[in-house]
Amino acid sequence: MTEDQRQRLRSLLAANGDGDSSAVAEICALAVAELAVSGVWVTLIAQAGTSATQQRLVRATDATATRLEELQFTVGEGPGLEAVIAGTAILAPDLAVTASRWPAFTSGAQAAGAAAVFAFPLSLGTIRLGSLDCYRTTAGQLSSRQIAAALVLAEMTFEAVLSETAGHAHNDLGWITDIHAEVHQASGMVKYDLGITMEAALLRIRGYAYANDMPVAVVAQRIVDRELFLEEE
């Protein structure tokens, strides 16, 4: 992408901003229009690829985007996680042919209405903050111009996130409002009940949610309310 194109995107962001929305929200809205996608979400991820991976959804444009992020959190796989680990864009223009890549994520994503997903890492050098993820309800590749625009939008998101993380370490996500707060609370309860680590407790909750085709947040709420007790294996 040329510098003129980069400036065009920055000008559009400045012109469309209403002063009431966060910069990340405005970038997501711009991404929907520029990339011709159905929805966009931004997730911050720390320690990707480990049992202690932390994820926080910063912004989603719609309920399906939120569901796709929750699905990645539940099954521990998906385009956003892979983009952060690999440090490169992950393009899946047709989920019908990616079952072997993310078997658990793909089936859930299709059930949610997604036919294509694309993820772009929020990174600078070795620092990787998370990903800018997109989905479409119909299969189809992004054009080279759209991919170039997505990379710039990810760059702009990285800058926006950095401005909001001033005073925090790049791997400290505790300052972000956590939509998975009850999941962490439930993990602590399972840890105490079963005498296992927090990481093992989270994996147990995720496994139960996946096996029973339930959102991990619903499983967590039932554990917190003492309506569900996970048993030892």
Side-chain angles (χ1 to χ4, degrees):
M1 174 165 282
T2 67
E3 187 59 31
D4 286 345
Q5 292 170 316
R6 177 177 281 102
Q7 289 303 318
R8 182 184 69 83
L9 288 175
R10 292 184 180 278
S11 296
L12 282 173
L13 181 64
N16 294 336
D18 57 16
D20 294 326
S21 301
S22 72
V24 174
E26 292 167 0
I27 292 170
C28 286
L30 180 58
V32 170
E34 288 292 315
L35 308 182
V37 293
S38 304
V40 175
W41 72 98
V42 171
T43 303
L44 298 193
I45 302 173
Q47 297 178 281
T50 74
S51 60
T53 296
Q54 300 179 64
Q55 292 176 235
R56 300 287 191 275
L57 177 64
V58 178
R59 181 67 59 173
T61 59
D62 58 272
T64 298
T66 299
R67 172 59 185 145
L68 292 175
E69 167 49 28
E70 183 179 65
L71 183 61
Q72 288 193 108
F73 180 78
T74 298
V75 301
E77 65 179 25
L81 290 169
E82 187 171 324
V84 175
I85 293 170
T88 189
I90 301 298
L91 310 177
D94 188 354
L95 284 176
V97 297
T98 62
S100 61
R101 188 173 191 174
W102 313 301
F105 173 82
T106 297
S107 60
Q110 289 177 307
V117 291
F118 313 97
F120 303 87
L122 311 181
S123 61
L124 178 63
T126 59
I127 299 176
R128 296 173 188 173
L129 299 182
S131 63
L132 172 73
D133 300 347
C134 318
Y135 80 91
R136 279 178 173 165
T137 56
T138 56
Q141 181 62 279
L142 296 176
S143 68
S144 58
R145 182 180 180 83
Q146 288 170 331
I147 293 172
L151 292 172
V152 173
L153 290 166
E155 173 187 302
M156 292 161 62
T157 304
F158 182 94
E159 294 170 359
V161 169
L162 278 187
S163 70
E164 296 180 17
T165 61
H168 301 276
H170 70 82
N171 61 349
D172 170 23
L173 305 185
W175 58 276
I176 305 170
T177 300
D178 188 3
I179 66 168
H180 302 306
E182 287 180 341
V183 178
H184 301 301
Q185 183 181 356
S187 296
M189 295 172 71
V190 173
K191 171 181 181 290
Y192 177 80
D193 289 341
L194 302 184
I196 57 180
T197 65
M198 282 290 286
E199 290 81 3
L202 177 57
L203 289 174
R204 192 73 59 85
I205 293 170
R206 283 172 161 170
Y208 184 94
Y210 179 67
N212 292 275
D213 193 25
M214 297 169 63
V216 70
V218 172
V219 174
Q221 184 63 63
R222 291 186 61 193
I223 292 172
V224 171
D225 291 342
R226 285 312 200 187
E227 297 175 356
L228 172 65
F229 295 85
L230 299 187
E231 299 177 355
E232 295 184 38
E233 291 181 341

